[in-house]
Amino acid sequence: MKLTIIGAGAMGLRYGILLQEAGNDVTFVDTWQPHIEKIKEQGGVYVMRDHKDRHLEKIKLETPETYNDDPEVFIFFTKQMQLDDYLKRCAHFINRKKHYAFTCMNGMGHIEKLQEYFADDRIIGGTALIATILPGPGEVDFMGKRGAGKMNMCPLNEKPDEMCQRLFDELEKAQINPTLTDDFTGTLMTKVIFNSVINTICTMFQIQMGEFGNFPGAYKMGRQLIDEAYDICARAGIKLVSSREEEMSALDHNTRIDMPLHYPSMYQDMSKNRPTEVDYINGYIANLGRKYHYEAKTHTFVTQAVHLAEFHQQNLAKA
Ligand code: NAD
């Protein structure tokens, strides 16, 4: 397939390089100048797996202003707060009636933005349980063995068409392990709720996921956030794809067994003095609660606690 990745950061590079290795024609579009310059200078991106086997992969890289092509699908992997700017800069090459958009970004808010540029029957959303790090410009580290991690995908109209099936097949060939689900909002919100526990708490305390998972109070902390979020989704009529207990077990498994030594991507942002996506995760849940007359006190509190941690980090950087 002909695919263009918008946002050649950690996840954009992982999806793009694996899809390229599986035989697809992939181009990347990015706007971060030091990254673009480094990739041009090196003649590609240095790729590692679990900090090892560092090797150069050639990629086709453009900026929104230099890109001029016509892919079948645009794959979006920006941070939530970058998406508006990317879409504005990319608007000149997006054809609403023709192009498809696919994304596995974390948080909520991105789908409404994509709907301004793509027709509803051409938007495919998803979630990724795949950990990837961008140690610096021109360099990416895929966490986990080849074939590790998994993802869910679902078209916005919940009617998978031929393009969705072809994309699914290519993701499967690339060993990204997709599952096609049949409830769009439920699929995305279940992951938002998952991230609202691990990403947020580990980022606030600057700890690895295993440290949270092994903490005796982890269940109580997680359960409070899960209960608030599930109560809100029940009021909003959102059918989540796992039960509260299943979500708690998934959290436990992910933190203690799957990725105990990993820092969530939200932590990576804070440690680099970048803004986190907390407003699109816990903040989104709290706002949704307000809409349905439910005060999500814990989600509101932890949103501000992460902002306090960001503020502290910025002050440290200035000192
Ligand atoms: P990323 O920050 O690595 O890249 C996103 C964009 O930011 C890219 O355009 C990149 O070039 C730019 N960028 C990266 N570092 C920068 C810096 N220091 N200064 C300025 N610009 C910079 O983002 P990501 O981790 O690929 O995440 C994309 C989406 O996928 C997010 O919604 C994220 O939550 C989600 N996600 C990430 C992971 C993960 O493990 N990284 C896993 C699942 C989902």
Side-chain angles (χ1 to χ4, degrees):
M1 286 181 87
K2 191 162 179 164
L3 305 165
T4 294
I5 313 280
I6 309 288
M11 290 296 277
L13 285 170
R14 185 161 188 167
Y15 270 64
I17 288 170
L18 293 177
L19 285 162
Q20 181 170 290
E21 283 172 2
N24 295 283
D25 177 0
V26 179
T27 303
F28 296 83
V29 172
D30 206 78
T31 59
W32 184 26
Q33 213 48 44
H35 191 43
I36 295 168
E37 279 161 23
K38 196 81 185 171
I39 293 171
K40 297 267 176 215
E41 179 196 311
Q42 296 171 169
V45 181
Y46 278 102
V47 179
M48 290 172 280
R49 204 176 264 283
D50 292 327
H51 316 312
K52 293 185 204 120
D53 185 31
R54 190 172 183 270
H55 64 282
L56 193 67
E57 287 278 350
K58 280 194 182 158
I59 62 164
K60 288 191 272 180
L61 177 67
E62 300 288 342
T63 65
E65 289 69 32
T66 61
Y67 179 84
N68 181 19
D69 213 339
D70 185 24
E72 293 167 277
V73 182
F74 288 103
I75 301 182
F76 286 86
F77 269 121
T78 69
K79 286 279 158 58
Q80 287 277 352
M81 47 283 191
Q82 298 171 316
L83 185 61
D84 256 338
D85 182 55
Y86 260 100
L87 282 166
K88 278 187 194 124
R89 289 176 66 172
C90 294
H92 63 99
F93 55 74
I94 298 173
N95 181 339
R96 186 181 179 82
K97 290 197 189 121
K98 180 176 175 196
H99 291 135
Y100 279 70
F102 167 61
T103 179
C104 284
M105 285 164 55
N106 281 336
M108 277 298 231
H110 54 317
I111 301 301
E112 290 89 333
K113 289 176 191 144
L114 290 175
Q115 282 178 288
E116 290 175 30
Y117 295 82
F118 296 87
D120 284 4
D121 60 358
R122 285 174 162 69
I123 297 175
I124 306 166
T127 59
L129 257 186
I130 297 171
T132 313
I133 297 173
L134 201 70
E139 211 168 2
V140 64
D141 197 350
F142 298 174
M143 308 312 291
K145 295 185 182 68
R146 182 171 273 279
K150 54 186 179 180
M151 54 156 290
N152 287 330
M153 61 192 282
C154 184
L156 176 58
N157 66 3
E158 296 170 356
K159 292 184 191 118
D161 63 5
E162 195 205 327
M163 188 70 86
C164 180
Q165 191 55 54
R166 285 178 56 212
L167 182 62
F168 176 92
D169 293 344
E170 292 308 322
L171 290 163
E172 202 162 53
K173 250 196 260 163
Q175 293 183 282
I176 304 178
N177 303 331
T179 298
L180 203 52
T181 63
D182 56 11
D183 187 314
F184 184 83
T185 309
T187 299
L188 268 58
M189 272 309 285
T190 306
K191 177 72 179 343
V192 170
I193 296 172
F194 186 85
N195 287 338
S196 78
V197 179
I198 303 186
N199 283 27
T200 310
I201 294 175
C202 294
T203 300
M204 259 190 293
F205 289 99
Q206 308 202 21
I207 53 174
Q208 291 170 334
M209 284 156 55
E211 208 171 345
F212 172 63
N214 287 314
F215 167 58
Y219 185 91
K220 267 193 176 170
M221 288 175 90
R223 186 72 203 220
Q224 190 165 327
L225 289 162
I226 295 282
D227 278 341
E228 270 189 8
Y230 271 66
D231 288 350
I232 291 166
C233 287
R235 288 192 183 202
I238 298 170
K239 212 171 117 257
L240 296 162
V241 298
S242 51
S243 68
R244 294 177 198 225
E245 276 312 327
E246 284 165 351
E247 189 88 336
M248 289 305 301
S249 316
L251 282 168
D252 181 52
H253 203 273
N254 193 249
T255 51
R256 285 189 315 104
I257 295 155
D258 288 347
M259 296 194 223
L261 302 179
H262 184 66
Y263 288 96
S265 59
M266 187 185 278
Y267 167 83
Q268 319 278 348
D269 290 333
M270 203 187 67
S271 65
K272 288 180 191 149
N273 231 339
R274 296 177 71 202
T276 70
E277 293 179 301
V278 71
D279 288 336
Y280 303 87
I281 301 175
N282 301 77
Y284 181 87
I285 295 168
N287 283 338
L288 186 66
R290 249 166 252 130
K291 211 168 137 193
Y292 291 93
H293 312 292
Y294 184 110
E295 204 188 336
K297 287 189 182 163
T298 323
H299 284 282
T300 304
F301 183 86
V302 297
T303 304
Q304 291 315 317
V306 171
H307 285 316
L308 173 59
E310 288 170 342
F311 179 72
H312 174 63
Q313 191 71 21
Q314 281 158 14
N315 287 338
L316 283 181
K318 276 187 221 149

